[in-house]
Amino acid sequence: MRFALWVQGLSFTEHLDSKREIMVNDTLITASLRFQRWMTNEALPLWMSRGIVPHKQCHYERLKANGEPDLETNTRVRVQARQAFAFASAYRRGWAPEGRSLAVQLCEFIEKNARHPRASGGYVHLMDSEWNIADYKQDLYDHAFYLLAFAWLYTITGDAIYLDRAESLQRWLDDSFASPVGGWREGDYEVGARRQNPHMHLFESYMSLYEATEQAHWLARAGEIFALFQTRFFDAEHRVLREFFDDNWQPHPDAGNIIEPGHMVEWVWLLHWYGRLSGRNVSIWADALYEKAYQIGFASSGLMFDDMNIDGSARGSTKRSWPMTEVIKANIAQAKAGHKDGEERAAEAIDLLFTYYLDCAKVAGSWVDQRDANDEVVNDFAPASTLYHLMVACTEVVDYCNANT
């Protein structure tokens, strides 16, 4: 049996407001239900309980293999923002009634404890195991997730304070870190290379803010990132996404040929999202990245390599869990755009995610972070920040399969 879903605006060969029929594969329906059950029955209950610091109402950096929090490691402040996003998203879908209050608490912890004490805006990078500031640097990548959290807190609460915080933070980024050759600098510290990665997540955050507010200036911000992608990040000759650059957005002389297949497929999802919001046909870039990632990005096990050289040769052989979530998202985006292999490949990626990273965890709702050349587990810690990746992948596939209601 197959299910008919009517989805709007999925193909640029049709009018954006027209409808076309998508037949959802049974295998994907089954995989979607499995993913949602795991998220709602196992992952969210675990991380909303053991992940929360009882006396601080903030979130631990990671859990041990036995499901207990690691009480000795430092915690990146952006973990609070990424978990706030995940909990807010779960609340919005009715998966976690307590998600709203937890998301609010995490954002308030950031405001009260992680604002930079000397700068006139922005937040610090790291807190120690006693929740004192351990690293005062301001990092662009971190700040992209504060904007994302503010977008989602506004979405679930309607409280304008989160929009005020987003506007204020964006002004700070513009005043302090804007680059005359496009984009923003990495932060207030010296770096060896500029990265596309922080800008990729700003792209995501700007689109989230646009969807939350319908304010055109956020979509215009996303357009700035799209222009950087077109002119700097995307390598048309090799059909890949470059990661590292010099100060003028030229490929870095040492690291410029390193690519990450996981980011390539993440951009496939982002590009399709931008295309829906802007009306721009993005298929040239999305298809190129998707096809190239499938040509060079996978090990024989079906897992995606963490990084490799631009010519497709190996750099290492490790495979983290998060790239598989991006494979799922990319295939759902491609399926929406009419690519016939998207549904089957998304279902396959979900199966691999469970086999190698989720079902093998010693505690239900946790995960294995990384595997080596032989697909053996590299370490037994579960980073809290991975929930962000898993939540987006889960909601994308569930929303796709539920689009007929």
Side-chain angles (χ1 to χ4, degrees), residues 45 141 146 176 220 248 283 285 301 317 379:
Y141 182 88
Y146 305 140
S176 304
N248 293 312
S283 60
W285 301 279
S301 61
S317 52
N379 64 64

Side-chain angles (χ1 to χ4, degrees), residues 335-356:
K336 289 179 181 179
H339 291 257
K340 59 184 179 63
D341 295 330
E343 290 185 7
E344 182 178 350
R345 286 176 169 178
E348 290 172 352
I350 293 170
D351 183 64
L352 288 167
L353 180 68
F354 273 89
T355 298
Y356 285 95

Side-chain angles (χ1 to χ4, degrees), residues 245-264:
F245 305 84
D246 66 16
D247 289 341
N248 293 312
W249 286 123
Q250 297 303 307
H252 192 273
D254 298 321
N257 286 331
I258 298 173
I259 63 170
E260 296 188 27
H263 286 159
M264 289 171 62

Side-chain angles (χ1 to χ4, degrees), residues 234-242 259-265 268 283-298 304-305 308-313 334 345:
F234 180 71
D235 185 313
E237 178 184 355
H238 296 92
R239 297 187 301 141
V240 299
L241 178 78
R242 288 190 182 266
I259 63 170
E260 296 188 27
H263 286 159
M264 289 171 62
V265 288
V268 172
S283 60
I284 295 173
W285 301 279
D287 289 349
L289 290 175
Y290 178 81
E291 292 165 6
K292 189 68 172 185
Y294 265 90
Q295 287 175 10
I296 67 173
F298 291 90
M304 180 165 269
F305 289 117
M308 57 203 323
N309 295 311
I310 197 169
D311 62 4
S313 60
Q334 290 290 90
R345 286 176 169 178

Side-chain angles (χ1 to χ4, degrees), residues 28-49:
L28 183 59
I29 293 286
T30 301
S32 171
L33 293 172
R34 180 188 188 188
F35 206 170
Q36 183 177 348
R37 284 195 299 268
W38 176 85
M39 181 62 70
T40 57
N41 297 339
E42 298 180 16
L44 288 169
L46 174 70
W47 292 91
M48 287 182 166
S49 56

Side-chain angles (χ1 to χ4, degrees), residues 260-389:
E260 296 188 27
H263 286 159
M264 289 171 62
V265 288
E266 191 165 4
W267 268 99
V268 172
W269 170 68
L270 288 166
L271 288 167
H272 281 297
W273 183 5
Y274 180 72
R276 290 193 298 274
L277 296 181
S278 67
R280 180 68 185 268
N281 188 340
V282 299
S283 60
I284 295 173
W285 301 279
D287 289 349
L289 290 175
Y290 178 81
E291 292 165 6
K292 189 68 172 185
Y294 265 90
Q295 287 175 10
I296 67 173
F298 291 90
S300 59
S301 61
L303 304 183
M304 180 165 269
F305 289 117
D306 290 338
D307 58 14
M308 57 203 323
N309 295 311
I310 197 169
D311 62 4
S313 60
R315 279 184 51 80
S317 52
T318 57
K319 289 88 69 175
R320 292 193 66 191
S321 59
W322 70 262
M324 295 308 298
T325 68
E326 303 306 326
V327 172
I328 295 165
K329 290 158 57 180
N331 276 294
I332 292 298
Q334 290 290 90
K336 289 179 181 179
H339 291 257
K340 59 184 179 63
D341 295 330
E343 290 185 7
E344 182 178 350
R345 286 176 169 178
E348 290 172 352
I350 293 170
D351 183 64
L352 288 167
L353 180 68
F354 273 89
T355 298
Y356 285 95
Y357 300 104
L358 305 185
D359 282 347
C360 53
K362 296 179 181 178
V363 175
S366 190
W367 41 79
V368 166
D369 181 52
Q370 191 177 49
R371 290 185 175 268
D372 64 14
N374 299 314
D375 291 332
E376 298 296 330
V377 176
V378 173
N379 64 64
D380 58 2
F381 288 103
S385 58
T386 304
L387 184 62
Y388 150 81
H389 291 283

